[in-house]
Amino acid sequence: HEFVYPPSWGLGIAYKPTQTLTLTADWQRTDWTKFKWPFADLHYENEGTLLKNTVMDGDWSAADADRFGLEYKYNKRLTLRGGYTIEDSGIPEEEQDLSIMILGKQPQYANVGFGYQWDVWNLDLMIGTNWGNTHTGMRHWCSELAFTFSRQFDGGSEGLPKSWAK
């Protein structure tokens, strides 16, 4: 099966009212009408009893997402961040099930987090949630926790173990 991802485009803006605060917003549209779900368009060289040619239109639609974020540089080491997203689902609600994440009509996402830097080490932490309702009245709410711990390299061999510097 050839997996063709749908076309997507967007527009965004970032505004920095002070040296320490950045505000962002963007809009994105994904045209799910062009998406061919795996096994929805099958043509067999020798069609048989069990292997039937299939052409199905999933009736998927275009979906919009609106995102808003902020980043506040508290000091040289600490950065605070937050974000909110509301998006449409291109998947018809009656087609959503446990094999496709149950999104509902307009799932929403919110998160907060921080970044902390000391010397060449970075720690980033994010706590978030997403929620929504489906056409059948099912409500969902999911919590998220993510973190990264990383080291910056300047591109040279300084600070690397001797075995890595070769």
Side-chain angles (χ1 to χ4, degrees):
H1 179 77
E2 182 182 345
F3 186 83
V4 179
Y5 197 77
S8 181
W9 56 93
L11 180 64
I13 189 168
Y15 175 61
K16 198 169 178 98
T18 70
Q19 286 292 83
T20 58
L21 180 64
T22 303
L23 304 172
T24 63
D26 74 71
W27 163 83
Q28 178 182 338
R29 171 165 276 201
T30 302
D31 186 2
W32 288 101
T33 61
K34 310 290 188 224
F35 183 68
K36 290 192 182 273
W37 187 248
F39 312 113
D41 193 0
L42 297 172
H43 299 280
Y44 296 100
E45 192 172 303
N46 297 314
E47 184 178 20
T49 305
L50 296 176
L51 300 176
K52 296 281 187 194
N53 291 337
T54 306
V55 177
M56 294 185 329
D57 179 4
D59 197 29
W60 289 25
S61 61
D64 294 319
D66 299 302
R67 300 180 189 99
F68 307 93
L70 65 89
E71 181 178 83
Y72 178 69
K73 190 121 178 104
Y74 182 74
N75 60 31
K76 188 176 175 182
R77 296 181 181 269
L78 180 64
T79 303
L80 307 172
R81 299 181 186 101
Y84 172 76
T85 298
I86 185 167
E87 64 181 29
D88 295 326
S89 172
I91 306 168
E93 286 191 76
E94 58 276 3
E95 299 295 325
Q96 296 179 28
D97 59 26
L98 293 178
S99 65
I100 299 173
M101 184 178 166
I102 299 172
L103 300 170
K105 182 59 183 159
Q106 281 194 311
Q108 299 177 62
Y109 307 84
N111 61 57
V112 294
F114 71 88
Y116 190 80
Q117 180 180 359
W118 61 98
D119 196 24
V120 294
W121 297 97
N122 294 308
L123 172 68
D124 284 287
L125 176 73
M126 185 275 300
I127 298 170
T129 185
N130 68 63
W131 66 94
N133 299 314
T134 67
H135 73 291
T136 60
M138 181 176 150
R139 286 185 237 162
H140 69 276
W141 179 72
C142 181
S143 298
E144 302 168 302
L145 173 66
F147 72 92
T148 59
F149 185 66
S150 60
R151 183 188 193 287
Q152 295 177 10
F153 294 101
D154 64 2
S157 61
E158 188 177 317
L160 292 174
K162 291 185 195 250
S163 61
W164 292 10
K166 294 181 181 178

